[in-house]
């Protein structure tokens, strides 16, 4: 990306701020009806922001209930059954209703057309449909709460999920519908990247966030149907007793685990790839540097998407899988670490000789790097089958995937929320309060999950509501950390809510980014760009004047 | 409308020939069922199925007209399905 | 008509790519069942072969010819539409739908015969001649795969019926008939999937 040709897009001159002739932005005009039936990707993104935030809130409240229950070795506030139902819903809501859709549907929807210089995504009606399908899927999933909850865990393992008396079928069907929404978004994004790029925007001028969305979408389209089918089989087994996974009928329960992880391991990359895209954008902007290697980051996104499909078996090491498959999957799993490490080193090298500033999104970049590196290395450890046998189904695994999946996704999500807040709403958040909230979130997160690494290594199994008294001090620490984390999230909510209502108005490109989404007004007008954009430079050409 | 008008000059007979090829392959597959192929029976039947799928993709679905990305997609999908089947079979076979 | 696309060609390209991606996800939906089938096939080997020879090879093979021929009709319909013979295209789509119907009727006949011998999916299976777990698993998979495929046949017939009706009423032209092309692509996919189901469910020996 060294093309030094000067940029002269026709829209590059500053739109006059607050001038009477300024076109209406996308947020204004029309009533509730015009929002609910909108085909504008930006409004759909904002509606998704609301919906996924509610999911995050619900999943967070459930997490707090779980941590309160674990304060004492015996029963604290709920029964064993209620505990099972709570951790199941916590996992389901967080994975399928927040982490998988959140960054693509909110930031992907809003930014992808802007980054491509396009008016909208390729199929705007499909985009709106995917929002309502998401709502429908969430509603069906949540009916299980009314039906008394479901207690099979977010992994739906048979034969328990086919025999449990709780409302498993509601959840299975709800997640199936959520998967439909995911596939719709994936198809839309891939086609958009292929066909909606504006003049001059070659593949190697795409912002890195676009590359990561592209990789994510491929996984969504190819892997989600497999999950859908495996959940339909669970539901069919409950309704009609098809017994394909039931040992009593000659079925094989491991087949389910194969199908489930064939989706759900790549799904980890559905969650983390968009997060990596956010991080790539943030690190370049706040170090005012191009990425140390654009191609390394871009291609490793595709590499992760590919290798992500080759590793599902490492979830089955202790389930009775053959040693042969175990060895193959153990080795293949290590390759993911190679691509992830390429990214981590490239991000770090991007800081070199940059002029780094420490706004809130950049803080989240550092939190992300810590959590991702730590979670990633423990991931290599548990992919080693001999070690995994010790740690499997203990809190070590819980802490590992919370570090990498939740830590990675959540910090990137919050980084994105702050970084693009001016783009979304045309207002600035308060840097001091955002910094306090950010530090609180990080401290709370680490304090919640580091004790869980220790607990797991000491042998505390996951999904138990009671434990021997010698584990109590670590559990109390973890619950304390969770409370700090919750306080940090609450503070973020208040701080951003205040910014939304009364934050100072911002100029078009407050961070001095070179990426294309900032070439339109903030917030953008309904048609995104007043004139057609012609791209004549890369998205990270910080050596050129804006 | 270059894309559409150039197509209108096409002839129909390649489609009919493709159908003949499919019919021949189907008969071949049907006949192979009665041969003593032993362990090769299923591989042979699947190989013929792959050949038929290629005929449908090439002539009926006109894959050659599609963008490179679509052709790449067909390979990726094939790879993914084969991968899923192979992973499961590998596990069951060596358990 | 082109909406926010820069040209008609771009719109057609986007629609085609979108359709192929949808087809890809459909293949993976079946792919999950193929994976389960592979696992069970390795596990139950001989039982599967015995059970599959109980399926009517006559019906299976006839259905293969039926679907392949229906695909030819659908392809000819697209050819007709491109050269401006919309009425002919509509008639060919009608024939395609009839072939689809014939496929479903034959499938129904086969289901009926199975039900009479007590071959039901899963725990309802009580076929005295083949009491093995392997046979039970085979027929469960048979029902799952053919039922899912039958649903797709039905969906394809509906889609072809709609676009065929519209073509007959003059809703398309030689230049603009994108829904017709896309529906036919879907129909071909349904055919391709059957090309693999047929050997796996009928031809083992």
């Amino acid at each position: 990306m060294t093309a030094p040709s000067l940029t002269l897009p026709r829209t590059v001159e500053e739109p006059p701020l607050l001038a009477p002739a300024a076109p209406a932005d996308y947020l204004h005009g029309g009533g509730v009806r015009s929002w609910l039936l909108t085909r504008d990707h930006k409004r759909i993104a904002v509606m998704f922001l609301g919906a996924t935030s509610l999911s995050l809130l619900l999943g967070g409240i459930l997490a707090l209930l779980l941590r309160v229950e674990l304060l004492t070795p015996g029963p604290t506030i709920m029964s064993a059954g209620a505990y099972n139902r709570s951790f199941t819903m916590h996992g389901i809501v967080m994975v399928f209703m927040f982490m998988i859709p959140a960054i693509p549907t909110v930031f992907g929807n809003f930014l992808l057309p802007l980054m491509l210089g396009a008016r909208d995504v390729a199929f705007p009606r499909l985009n709106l449909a995917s929002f309502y399908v998401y709502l429908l899927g969430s509603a069906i999933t949540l009916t299980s709460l009314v039906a008394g909850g479901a207690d099979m865990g977010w992994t739906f393992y048979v034969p328990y999920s086919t025999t449990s008396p709780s409302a498993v079928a509601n959840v299975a069907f709800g997640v199936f519908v959520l998967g439909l929404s995911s596939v719709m978004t994936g198809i839309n994004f891939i086609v958009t990247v292929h066909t909606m790029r504006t003049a001059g925007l070659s593949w190697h001028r795409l912002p890195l966030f676009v590359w990561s969305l592209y990789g994510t979408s491929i996984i969504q389209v190819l892997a989600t149907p497999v999950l859908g089918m495996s959940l339909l089989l669970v539901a069919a087994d409950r309704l009609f007793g098809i017994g394909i996974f039931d040992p009593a009928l000659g079925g094989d329960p491991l087949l389910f685990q194969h199908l489930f992880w064939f989706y759900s391991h790549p799904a980890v990359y559905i969650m983390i790839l968009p997060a990596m895209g956010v991080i790539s954008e943030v690190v370049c902007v706040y170090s005012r540097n191009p990425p140390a290697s654009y191609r390394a980051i871009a291609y490793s996104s595709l590499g992760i998407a590919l290798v992500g499909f080759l590793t599902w078996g490492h979830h089955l090491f202790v389930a009775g899988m053959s040693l042969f498959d175990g060895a193959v999957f153990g080795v293949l799993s290590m390759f993911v670490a190679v691509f992830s490490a390429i990214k981590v080193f490239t991000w770090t090298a991007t800081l070199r000789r940059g002029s780094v500033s420490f706004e809130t999104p950049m803080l989240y970049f550092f939190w992300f790097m810590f959590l991702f590196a730590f979670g990633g290395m423990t991931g290599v450890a548990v992919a080693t089958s001999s070690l995994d046998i010790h740690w499997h189904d203990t809190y070590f695994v819980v802490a590992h995937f919370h570090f990498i999946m939740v830590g990675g996704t959540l910090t990137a999500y919050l980084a994105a929320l702050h970084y693009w807040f001016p783009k979304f709403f045309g207002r600035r958040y308060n840097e001091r309060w955002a910094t306090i909230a950010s530090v609180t979130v990080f401290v709370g997160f680490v304090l919640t999950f580091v004790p869980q690494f220790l607990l797991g290594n000491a042998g505390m199994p996951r999904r138990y509501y009671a434990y021997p008294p010698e584990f109590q001090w670590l559990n109390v620490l973890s619950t304390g950390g969770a409370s700090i984390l919750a306080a940090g999230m609450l503070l973020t909510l208040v701080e951003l809510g205040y910014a939304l209502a009364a934050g100072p108005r911002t100029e078009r490109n407050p961070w001095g980014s070179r990426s294309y989404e900032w070439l339109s007004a903030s917030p953008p007008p309904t048609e995104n760009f007043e004139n057609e954009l012609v791209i004549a430079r890369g998205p990270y050409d910080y050596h050129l004047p804006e | 409308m270059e894309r559409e008008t150039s197509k209108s000059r096409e002839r129909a007979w390649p489609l009919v020939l493709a159908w003949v090829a499919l019919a021949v392959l189907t008969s071949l597959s049907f006949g192979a069922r009665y041969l003593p192929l032993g362990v090769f029976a299923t591989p042979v039947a699947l190989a013929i199925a792959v050949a038929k799928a290629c005929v449908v993709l090439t002539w009926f679905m006109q894959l050659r007209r599609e963008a490179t990305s679509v052709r790449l997609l067909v390979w990726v999908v094939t790879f993914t399905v084969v991968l899923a089947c192979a992973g499961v079979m590998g596990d069951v076979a060596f358990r | 008509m082109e909406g926010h696309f820069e040209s008609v060609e771009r719109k057609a390209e986007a629609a085609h790519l979108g359709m192929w991606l949808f087809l890809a996800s459909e293949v993976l939906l079946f792919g999950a069942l193929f994976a389960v089938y592979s696992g069970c096939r390795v596990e139950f080997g001989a039982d599967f072969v015995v059970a599959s020879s109980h399926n009517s090879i006559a019906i299976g093979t006839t259905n293969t010819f039926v679907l392949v021929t229906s695909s030819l009709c659908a392809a000819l319909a697209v050819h007709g539409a491109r050269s401006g013979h919309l009425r002919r295209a509509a008639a060919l789509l009608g024939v395609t739908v009839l072939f689809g119907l014939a496929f479903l009727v034959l499938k129904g006949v086969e289901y009926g015969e199975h039900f009479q011998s007590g071959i039901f999916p899963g725990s309802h299976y009580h076929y005295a001649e083949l009491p093995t777990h392997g046979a039970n698993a085979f027929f469960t998979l048979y029902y799952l795969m053919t039922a899912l495929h039958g649903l797709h046949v039905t969906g394809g017939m509906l889609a072809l019926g709609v676009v065929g009706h519209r073509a007959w009423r003059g809703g398309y032209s030689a230049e603009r008939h994108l829904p017709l092309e896309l529906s036919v692509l879907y129909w071909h996919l349904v055919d391709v999937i059957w090309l693999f189901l047929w050997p796996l469910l009928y031809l083992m020996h």
Side-chain angles (χ1 to χ4, degrees):
Chain A
M1 297 321 303
T2 48
S5 57
L6 190 65
T7 164
L8 277 177
R10 268 169 273 158
T11 51
V12 84
E13 59 266 30
E14 292 272 340
L17 262 185
L18 303 174
D25 63 63
Y26 79 98
L27 288 166
H28 294 94
V32 176
R33 196 182 143 82
S34 79
W35 271 85
L36 293 180
L37 297 178
T38 186
R39 292 178 207 163
D40 182 351
H41 65 105
K42 301 181 287 298
R43 287 192 166 189
I44 295 172
V46 171
M47 293 198 290
F48 262 120
L49 178 62
T52 51
S53 300
L54 283 179
S55 303
L56 177 63
L57 185 67
L58 176 62
I61 290 171
L62 286 164
L64 280 180
L65 291 177
L66 296 174
R67 284 316 315 171
V68 171
E69 168 54 39
L70 290 172
L71 262 179
T72 64
T76 313
I77 55 165
M78 58 176 93
S79 66
Y83 181 82
N84 289 348
R85 283 150 207 246
S86 303
F87 78 64
T88 299
M89 278 323 279
H90 164 70
I92 296 276
V93 168
M94 283 300 204
V95 169
F96 295 109
M97 289 162 60
F98 175 69
M99 282 196 292
I100 285 177
I103 296 181
T105 59
V106 179
F107 300 104
N109 254 331
F110 195 97
L111 297 163
L112 184 62
L114 289 170
M115 286 177 164
L116 300 179
R119 269 201 61 170
D120 208 318
V121 291
F123 308 121
R125 269 182 298 186
L126 185 70
N127 202 13
L128 180 65
S130 89
F131 175 68
Y132 285 108
V133 173
Y134 170 84
L135 286 191
L136 179 70
S138 306
I140 297 174
T141 307
L142 294 180
T143 56
S144 69
L145 290 177
V146 186
D151 62 354
M152 69 294 170
W154 80 278
T155 50
F156 291 91
Y157 271 14
V158 291
Y160 185 66
S161 63
T162 55
T163 50
S164 157
S166 64
V168 178
N170 303 38
V171 181
F173 192 59
V175 172
F176 177 82
V177 176
L178 286 169
L180 276 182
S181 159
S182 192
V183 173
M184 290 157 103
T185 304
I187 290 177
N188 214 340
F189 282 8
I190 294 176
V191 177
T192 304
V193 175
H194 273 278
T195 60
M196 305 296 284
R197 299 192 312 277
T198 192
L201 187 53
S202 61
W203 282 84
H204 286 125
R205 280 182 180 160
L206 292 176
L208 290 165
F209 185 56
V210 174
W211 278 97
S212 72
L213 283 177
Y214 188 76
T216 309
S217 303
I218 292 174
I219 306 179
Q220 281 178 318
V221 170
L222 293 182
T224 314
V226 178
L227 172 81
M229 180 47 69
S230 54
L231 294 184
L232 281 187
L233 289 177
V234 167
D237 207 335
R238 294 180 63 85
L239 297 175
F240 315 114
I242 58 165
I244 204 81
F245 302 131
D246 184 357
L249 287 167
D252 185 345
L254 246 64
L255 288 179
F256 173 82
Q257 295 191 19
H258 274 294
L259 289 194
F260 183 81
W261 289 110
F262 187 84
Y263 166 78
S264 292
H265 195 78
V268 172
Y269 306 109
I270 296 181
M271 302 173 216
I272 202 71
L273 268 177
M276 290 168 157
V278 170
I279 290 304
S280 307
E281 298 294 329
V282 165
V283 68
C284 293
V285 170
Y286 295 99
S287 52
R288 312 204 56 74
N289 236 355
S293 167
Y294 174 90
R295 288 177 191 225
I297 295 184
Y299 295 161
S300 62
S301 289
L302 297 185
I304 288 176
L306 171 73
V307 179
F309 274 102
L310 306 176
T311 63
W312 81 88
H314 67 225
H315 294 268
L316 281 66
F317 282 158
V318 302
M321 187 171 68
S322 70
L323 286 178
F324 171 77
D325 256 28
V328 171
F329 281 119
V331 172
L332 288 174
S333 301
M334 308 278 174
F335 281 104
V336 179
V338 174
F339 288 112
S340 305
I342 289 175
K343 280 189 188 282
V344 169
F345 291 129
T346 316
W347 290 323
T348 315
T350 301
L351 297 172
R352 184 171 164 267
R353 304 181 67 182
S355 99
V356 180
S357 59
F358 293 89
E359 277 93 354
T360 308
M362 195 59 173
L363 289 182
Y364 279 114
F365 164 78
F366 288 111
W367 310 154
F368 176 93
M369 291 291 270
F370 174 79
L371 297 176
F372 186 73
F374 205 83
M377 285 187 295
T378 54
V380 175
V382 287
T384 311
S385 49
S386 51
L387 295 173
D388 185 53
I389 288 166
H390 175 58
W391 285 322
H392 196 90
D393 275 340
T394 70
Y395 264 89
F396 191 90
V397 172
V398 174
H400 154 68
F401 70 69
H402 276 90
F403 252 67
I404 194 146
M405 260 163 52
V406 184
T409 313
L410 190 66
T411 50
Y413 179 80
L414 291 172
L417 208 50
H418 287 91
Y419 171 49
W420 281 301
F421 195 82
K423 187 81 232 165
F424 269 63
F425 302 113
R427 291 178 186 270
R428 288 288 291 267
Y429 59 87
N430 183 305
E431 202 64 59
R432 177 184 299 175
W433 283 105
T435 304
I436 294 173
S438 169
V439 173
T440 316
V441 165
F442 178 67
V443 170
F445 194 92
V446 172
L447 197 57
T448 309
F449 293 106
V450 167
Q452 296 189 10
F453 275 117
L454 303 174
L455 280 169
N457 198 41
M460 178 165 165
R462 65 196 283 201
R463 295 182 169 173
Y464 279 42
Y465 91 125
Y467 52 82
E470 60 263 34
F471 289 149
Q472 188 172 11
W473 70 277
L474 282 170
N475 272 303
V476 170
L477 264 186
S478 179
T479 304
S483 319
I484 297 174
L485 176 56
M489 292 303 293
L490 207 61
L491 195 55
T492 306
L493 184 68
V494 172
E495 160 248 319
L496 286 181
Y498 178 80
L500 185 62
R505 301 246 171 216
T506 178
E507 71 265 42
R508 181 174 56 84
N509 184 3
W511 313 117
S513 166
R514 293 296 186 271
S515 190
Y516 315 129
E517 76 271 24
W518 297 100
L519 292 175
S520 78
S522 302
T526 305
E527 49 288 337
N528 287 352
F529 301 95
E530 285 178 58
N531 306 302
E532 199 189 328
L533 202 62
V534 179
I535 304 290
R537 61 165 170 82
Y540 307 105
D541 284 348
Y542 286 97
H543 58 289
L544 300 173
E546 194 192 334
Chain B
M1 283 326 314
E2 320 300 326
R3 195 166 181 269
E4 305 288 330
T5 43
S6 68
K7 280 173 187 169
S8 60
R9 271 180 233 112
E10 274 173 30
R11 298 182 177 279
W13 61 262
L15 298 176
V16 179
L17 275 188
W19 176 78
V20 172
L22 287 171
V24 169
L25 285 168
T26 303
S27 314
L28 207 63
S29 197
F30 179 76
R33 186 196 177 283
Y34 296 98
L35 296 178
L37 291 171
V39 290
F40 295 107
T42 307
V44 165
L46 282 177
I48 295 176
V50 169
K52 286 156 75 181
C54 289
V55 172
V56 174
L57 281 166
T58 314
W59 279 281
F60 285 176
M61 299 174 91
Q62 301 198 304
L63 195 55
R64 282 170 307 170
R65 293 189 166 281
E66 301 289 350
T68 318
S69 46
V70 171
R71 273 171 284 162
L72 195 64
L73 177 70
V74 172
W75 284 108
V76 171
V77 167
T78 313
F79 168 76
T80 317
V81 173
V82 170
L83 177 75
C85 296
V88 174
M89 280 166 83
D91 174 26
V92 179
F94 294 95
R95 203 180 282 164
Chain C
M1 192 80 172
E2 282 74 66
H4 54 302
F5 287 98
E6 61 185 51
S7 64
V8 191
E9 289 82 16
R10 258 298 140 92
K11 186 183 179 187
E13 187 192 343
H16 270 254
L17 180 58
M19 189 65 195
W20 278 93
L21 284 164
F22 172 65
L23 297 186
S25 71
E26 289 278 35
V27 170
L28 265 297
L29 190 71
F30 279 93
L33 286 180
F34 280 113
V36 174
Y37 178 95
S38 327
C40 291
R41 176 77 203 272
V42 173
E43 204 159 324
F44 296 113
D47 287 349
F48 260 46
V49 174
V50 174
S52 82
S53 57
H54 188 80
N55 274 338
S56 162
I57 190 160
I59 290 182
T61 310
T62 311
N63 260 346
T64 307
F65 278 107
V66 166
L67 270 197
V68 163
T69 314
S70 79
S71 256
L72 172 69
C73 294
L76 287 173
V78 171
H79 183 266
R82 279 177 186 162
S83 37
H85 302 109
L86 273 307
R87 281 288 172 107
R88 191 170 79 197
L92 281 163
L93 289 180
V95 177
T96 312
V97 171
L98 287 181
F99 273 120
L101 196 63
F103 178 91
L104 289 181
V105 168
L106 281 174
K107 191 100 283 234
V109 169
E110 195 180 43
Y111 274 17
E113 285 176 6
H114 282 336
F115 291 157
Q116 280 183 352
S117 4
I119 299 177
F120 290 97
S123 54
H124 309 286
Y125 179 85
H126 55 87
Y127 181 44
E129 279 182 46
L130 290 172
T132 56
H133 280 327
N136 189 346
F138 175 84
F139 283 111
T140 305
L141 279 168
Y142 161 84
Y143 279 117
L144 284 171
M145 292 168 121
T146 54
L148 184 68
H149 181 258
L151 278 180
H152 282 74
V153 172
T154 314
M157 284 163 60
L158 286 176
L160 292 183
V162 170
V163 294
H165 180 70
R166 198 168 154 201
W168 187 261
R169 300 275 302 272
Y172 298 122
S173 66
E175 288 78 30
R176 290 175 189 272
H177 53 264
L178 204 49
L180 192 151
E181 290 203 11
L182 299 182
S183 313
V184 168
L185 273 182
Y186 183 80
W187 187 260
H188 289 314
L189 178 87
V190 172
D191 183 22
V192 168
I193 289 170
W194 177 258
L195 293 181
F196 288 91
L197 290 181
W198 179 54
L200 291 178
L201 297 177
Y202 294 87
L203 288 187
M204 278 183 294
H205 184 52

